[in-house]
């Protein structure tokens, strides 16, 4: 199901080639990324999203079995880079706390932590690559710079 | 349309010394659910044996309602009916009145009104007061403590800041026609970048002109806002539990202390310190008081007001010379959501005029285990604490150790005193209402 949605997204995306590549990354590479991502998670994410990815009811959204964490890769890369303080429902629930930006993390660190999240807490979604993070980062930068 | 079905009521009593005593009552009742009126029987369900509460000797409890919704603050009428404010409306109803029609000690019927979610709720001098996250309404009550005009509350306060974070507007009332409303700060520590590592604090903190404090309004005037209200106390990051103390004739509030000392300042604080600090503080606030947020936090281990790291602090430097000291300082992040000064005669003399505090339970102690999820008690004499705080009711979470808040089965939130001196506790996770009683 996720793969279907993922591929559907691909057809309309400029990141299609990279995304498809990521979904077929050899297992060994994924496990390296997951292990590195776990360290990033423990340092930067666990405090709010908790040890089980369960988040905090009504304050910090869960990552476990979240349609966002398991969904559009570009959206979650952007959230990590920019932070989030919009009052929008996530899986029909509102969350009060704001998330800071983590743009100071490297593309590889962001790719690793998102891969870890998408492969942990009951999640089974595709890996995220540093190339994908870079692409979103470039797109977010103001054009005059 | 009327539907009829069997509702199985599960009634449970347990005392500290007697966990195993359960009465199971099965009863048949008509369930009147209609689309345009709200009166219906509570959605009681037969459930597995729930986790027992642990109480001091002589106290016992009953679960008097279940699955009411995300019940925040509550009030019990002199008849024993209970009004509950829901964080999020159910079928468009944000306030529920619970009634025990067959006098079996359990609420069996509920009646919903008020199309808004929120936290604050109180009964005072013939009116029911309730808040959403921007406004406060009041409803006239008749002699039966029923709302006279359900669809037309008076809006007494409006236009309060609601910027997602610390948005709930808790309320308390004095005897002189004032209502006190918490307006929580829409930030953790007034940083240039909220909750960001190393981000300095704004100087002065611009939030404090319209939030981060308690505002006082008149109960009788319509549509008051900042212009008509008084910033009664400032420097309070977020208050959810507050109560007017009838013996000291003053307002007491429970502050939710700031988060993330370690996350944002790892060179200055250990994870252990960050889990324990800052203190969750009870303050007695008088008009004009400043509790010091965001410039300082209270440290109950050093027993000092400590300069916040966002303002040049290092965990040792003191600050806040003009800031008031807390009345009681609890360990960090326990999240005090309900405060009630006990004026009843049912409980032993020790409890008279003392403070009960409902702690919702922590999240910002990770990766260390979470704490809270209990009701605490502080004895008071002449308006001052007369002893150490203690855990009064525990076991709500249902697990010996909570690593992640979603593991907690029940989370205490609101407190109310019944006409017979019983203590009611609401749970905003599963919508339980607990009634705690004493018999010697």
């Amino acid at each position: 199901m996720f793969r279907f949605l993922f591929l559907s997204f691909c057809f309309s995306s400029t990141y299609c080639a990279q995304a498809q590549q990521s979904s077929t990354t050899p297992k060994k590479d994924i496990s390296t990324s997951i292990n590195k991502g776990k360290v990033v998670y423990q340092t930067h994410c666990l405090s709010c999203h908790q040890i089980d990815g369960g988040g905090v009811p009504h304050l910090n959204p869960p990552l476990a079995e979240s349609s966002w964490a398991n969904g559009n890769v570009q959206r979650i890369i952007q959230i990590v880079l920019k932070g989030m303080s919009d009052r929008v429902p996530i899986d029909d629930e509102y969350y009060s706390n704001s998330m800071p930006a983590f743009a100071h993390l490297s593309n590889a660190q962001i790719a690793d932590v998102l891969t870890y999240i998408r492969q942990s807490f009951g999640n089974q979604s595709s890996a995220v690559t540093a190339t994908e993070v870079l692409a979103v980062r470039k797109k977010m930068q103001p054009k005059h710079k | 349309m009327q539907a009829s079905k069997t509702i199985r009521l599960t009634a449970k009593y347990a005392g500290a010394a007697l966990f195993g005593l359960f009465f199971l009552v099965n009863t048949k009742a008509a369930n009147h659910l209609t689309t345009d009126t709200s009166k219906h029987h509570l959605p009681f369900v037969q459930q597995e044996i729930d986790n027992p509460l642990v109480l001091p000797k002589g106290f016992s409890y009953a679960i008097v309602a279940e699955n009411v919704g995300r019940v925040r603050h509550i009030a019990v009428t002199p008849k024993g009916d209970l009004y509950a404010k829901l964080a999020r409306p159910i079928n468009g109803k944000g306030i529920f009145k619970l009634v025990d029609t067959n006098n079996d000690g359990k609420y069996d019927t509920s009646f919903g009104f008020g199309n808004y979610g929120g936290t604050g709720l109180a009964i005072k001098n013939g009116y029911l007061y309730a808040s959403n996250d921007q406004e406060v309404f009041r409803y006239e009550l008749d002699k039966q403590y029923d709302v006279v005009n359900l669809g037309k509350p008076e809006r007494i306060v409006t236009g309060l800041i609601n910027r997602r974070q610390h948005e709930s507007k808790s309320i308390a009332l004095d005897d002189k026609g004032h209502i006190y409303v918490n307006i929580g700060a829409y930030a953790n520590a007034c940083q240039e970048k909220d909750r960001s590592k190393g981000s300095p604090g704004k100087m002065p903190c611009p939030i404090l002109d319209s939030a981060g404090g308690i505002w006082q309004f008149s109960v009788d005037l319509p549509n008051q806002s900042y212009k008509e209200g008084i910033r009664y106390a400032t420097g309070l990051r977020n208050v959810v539990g507050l109560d007017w103390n009838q013996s000291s004739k003053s307002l007491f509030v429970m502050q939710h202390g700031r988060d993330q000392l370690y996350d944002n300042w790892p060179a200055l604080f250990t994870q252990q310190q960050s889990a324990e600090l800052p203190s969750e503080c009870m303050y007695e606030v008088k008009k004009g008081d400043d509790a010091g947020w965001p410039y300082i936090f209270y440290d109950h281990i050093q027993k000092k007001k400590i300069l916040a790291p966002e303002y040049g602090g290092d965990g040792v430097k003191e600050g806040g010379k003009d800031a008031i000291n807390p009345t009681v300082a609890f360990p960090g992040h326990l999240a005090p959501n309900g405060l009630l000064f006990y004026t009843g005669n049912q409980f032993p003399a020790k409890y008279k005029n003392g403070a009960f505090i409902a702690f919702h339970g922590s999240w910002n102690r990770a990766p260390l285990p979470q704490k809270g999820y209990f009701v605490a008690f502080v004895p008071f004499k002449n308006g001052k604490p007369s002893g150490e705080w203690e855990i009064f009711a525990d076991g709500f979470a249902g697990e010996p150790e909570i690593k992640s808040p979603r593991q907690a089965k029940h989370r205490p939130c609101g407190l109310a005193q019944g006409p017979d001196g019983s203590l009611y506790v609401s749970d905003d996770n599963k919508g339980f209402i607990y009634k705690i009683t004493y018999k010697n």
Side-chain angles (χ1 to χ4, degrees):
Chain A
M1 178 64 178
F2 281 129
R3 191 177 167 83
F4 172 74
L5 290 173
F6 184 74
L7 289 173
S8 309
F9 175 76
C10 250
F11 292 127
S12 61
S13 165
T14 51
Y15 309 113
C16 193
Q18 293 151 10
Q20 276 186 334
Q21 190 188 354
S22 76
S23 66
T24 56
T25 306
K27 263 204 165 163
K28 196 186 164 194
D29 289 350
I30 288 186
S31 67
T32 308
S33 182
I34 288 170
N35 290 338
K36 285 182 183 170
K38 187 176 180 178
V39 177
V40 178
Y41 184 83
Q42 286 171 339
T43 310
H44 299 283
C45 317
L46 185 149
S47 162
C48 295
H49 292 290
Q50 303 293 316
I51 202 158
D52 59 351
V56 181
H58 319 299
L59 292 181
N60 307 325
L63 306 172
E65 292 160 35
S66 153
S67 73
W68 283 40
N70 290 289
N72 184 326
V73 170
Q74 276 66 42
R75 175 162 72 177
I76 56 176
I77 292 171
Q78 186 165 317
I79 290 171
V80 174
L81 288 170
K82 275 177 71 176
M84 187 170 156
S85 54
D86 305 329
R87 187 166 176 81
V88 292
I90 300 172
D91 294 329
D92 196 36
E93 185 57 79
Y94 288 90
Y95 297 90
S96 297
N97 283 349
S98 45
M99 171 169 157
F102 288 92
H104 57 282
L105 298 180
S106 71
N107 296 333
Q109 282 178 306
I110 292 173
D112 289 344
V113 77
L114 289 175
T115 299
Y116 168 70
I117 289 164
R118 286 162 66 88
Q119 291 277 319
S120 306
F121 319 128
N123 297 337
Q124 290 182 327
S125 294
S126 61
V128 176
T129 65
T131 320
E132 287 173 294
V133 178
L134 175 67
V136 176
R137 202 190 281 268
K138 275 186 175 168
K139 208 174 166 186
M140 276 168 49
Q141 278 169 353
K143 277 179 183 155
H144 61 267
K145 277 194 177 174
Chain B
M1 195 185 107
Q2 288 190 346
S4 184
K5 70 174 182 181
T6 302
I7 300 176
R8 304 173 83 184
L9 293 174
T10 306
K12 276 168 279 170
Y13 294 88
L18 202 60
F19 289 145
L21 185 60
F22 296 100
F23 299 105
L24 288 174
V25 180
N26 293 326
T27 183
K28 285 186 176 182
N31 190 13
H32 303 284
L33 286 170
T34 62
T35 49
D36 56 354
T37 70
S38 319
K39 198 162 189 170
H40 62 86
H41 287 267
L42 283 172
F44 281 124
V45 288
Q46 174 78 45
Q47 53 152 27
E48 79 278 17
I49 290 172
D50 207 67
N51 47 303
L53 297 190
V54 182
L55 296 165
K57 199 176 172 211
F59 287 91
S60 59
Y61 75 96
I63 295 164
V64 292
E66 300 171 24
N67 308 322
V68 178
R70 286 179 53 200
V71 185
R72 301 286 284 177
H73 287 172
I74 52 175
V76 180
T77 74
K79 283 182 66 192
D81 300 334
L82 187 144
Y83 282 101
K85 187 78 201 74
L86 303 193
R88 215 172 162 178
I90 293 177
N91 297 328
K93 313 292 179 190
I95 307 171
F96 278 83
K97 186 185 182 191
L98 311 187
V99 184
D100 173 14
T101 56
N102 61 2
N103 292 311
D104 70 344
K106 312 274 168 274
Y107 294 115
D108 48 56
T109 302
S110 74
F111 184 82
F113 60 98
N115 62 358
Y116 50 93
T119 290
L121 186 125
I123 294 172
K124 185 82 182 177
N125 295 339
Y127 285 93
L128 173 74
Y129 295 82
S131 70
N132 61 26
D133 295 339
Q134 301 85 228
E135 301 166 301
V136 183
F137 300 92
R138 74 170 186 177
Y139 302 78
E140 191 183 348
L141 298 173
D142 65 18
K143 284 182 180 171
Q144 300 299 308
Y145 288 83
D146 286 320
V147 172
V148 173
N149 194 337
L150 287 168
K152 282 194 176 175
E154 297 171 58
R155 187 170 67 182
I156 58 171
V157 182
T158 187
L160 303 182
I161 280 203
N162 168 12
R163 293 195 190 157
R164 188 164 176 258
Q165 209 171 159
H166 305 143
E167 69 276 35
S168 66
K169 302 292 183 287
S170 299
I171 55 173
L173 294 107
D174 67 14
D175 294 320
K176 293 183 174 172
H178 300 119
I179 184 165
Y180 300 86
V181 184
N182 170 66
I183 307 176
Y186 43 91
N188 175 37
C190 209
Q191 291 169 285
E192 282 177 10
K193 288 181 181 171
D194 191 25
R195 296 181 186 269
S196 295
K197 190 173 170 179
S199 176
K202 294 179 190 170
M203 192 67 198
C205 175
I207 291 172
L208 292 169
D209 64 351
S210 57
I214 304 292
W215 265 253
Q216 183 197 54
F217 299 96
S218 164
V219 294
D220 292 319
L221 299 172
N223 297 318
Q224 301 162 88
S225 195
Y226 289 99
K227 213 176 102 198
E228 293 80 14
I230 293 168
R231 191 179 74 173
Y232 190 76
T234 189
L236 290 159
R237 178 175 173 271
N238 186 33
V239 167
V240 185
L242 73 173
D243 194 17
W244 184 259
N245 185 318
Q246 290 292 347
S247 60
S248 63
K249 307 285 178 205
S250 58
L251 183 69
F252 283 74
V253 303
M254 293 293 318
Q255 176 180 236
H256 281 225
R258 51 88 44 83
D259 303 319
Q260 298 184 289
L261 283 170
Y262 170 79
D263 291 342
N264 293 340
W265 307 95
L268 301 173
F269 298 90
T270 65
Q271 285 185 325
Q272 185 77 42
Q273 286 173 312
S274 188
E276 206 59 31
L277 297 173
S279 320
E280 297 287 58
C281 292
M282 176 195 289
Y283 291 102
E284 178 181 19
V285 294
K286 304 273 172 65
K287 192 174 174 180
D289 276 347
D290 181 353
W293 181 90
Y295 310 112
I296 56 132
F297 64 84
Y298 193 77
D299 177 332
H300 57 284
I301 298 160
Q302 300 183 71
K303 294 189 167 49
K304 284 173 182 170
K305 288 173 285 189
I306 301 296
L307 192 64
E310 290 78 10
Y311 293 89
D314 58 2
V316 179
K317 277 184 216 162
E318 294 180 57
K321 277 203 175 100
D322 299 325
I324 56 171
N325 275 305
T327 309
V328 188
F330 298 87
H333 312 298
L334 305 186
N337 274 10
L339 172 64
L340 180 135
F341 285 96
Y342 184 76
T343 57
N345 295 315
Q346 183 189 133
F347 290 4
K350 164 188 171 179
Y351 295 94
K352 188 86 175 184
N353 298 319
F356 287 102
I357 302 107
F359 284 104
H360 199 227
S362 71
W363 65 266
N364 196 218
R365 285 178 164 255
L368 295 160
Q370 305 296 347
K371 284 189 179 169
Y373 312 94
F374 54 65
V375 176
F377 176 73
V378 185
F380 267 66
K381 256 184 195 149
N382 304 319
K384 305 278 178 208
S386 58
E388 295 296 307
W389 74 272
E390 61 191 40
I391 294 175
F392 173 74
D394 203 356
F396 292 93
E399 300 276 343
E401 184 174 278
I402 297 291
K403 292 289 276 183
S404 176
R406 71 169 174 176
Q407 292 173 269
K409 269 191 173 176
H410 305 283
R411 304 187 73 180
C413 187
L415 296 168
Q417 186 182 308
D420 64 351
S422 300
L423 181 72
Y424 291 76
V425 184
S426 70
D427 147 41
D428 71 353
N429 191 37
K430 289 198 169 178
F432 276 38
I433 308 284
Y434 301 85
K435 180 184 181 183
I436 299 173
T437 52
Y438 179 79
K439 230 179 201 177
N440 60 9

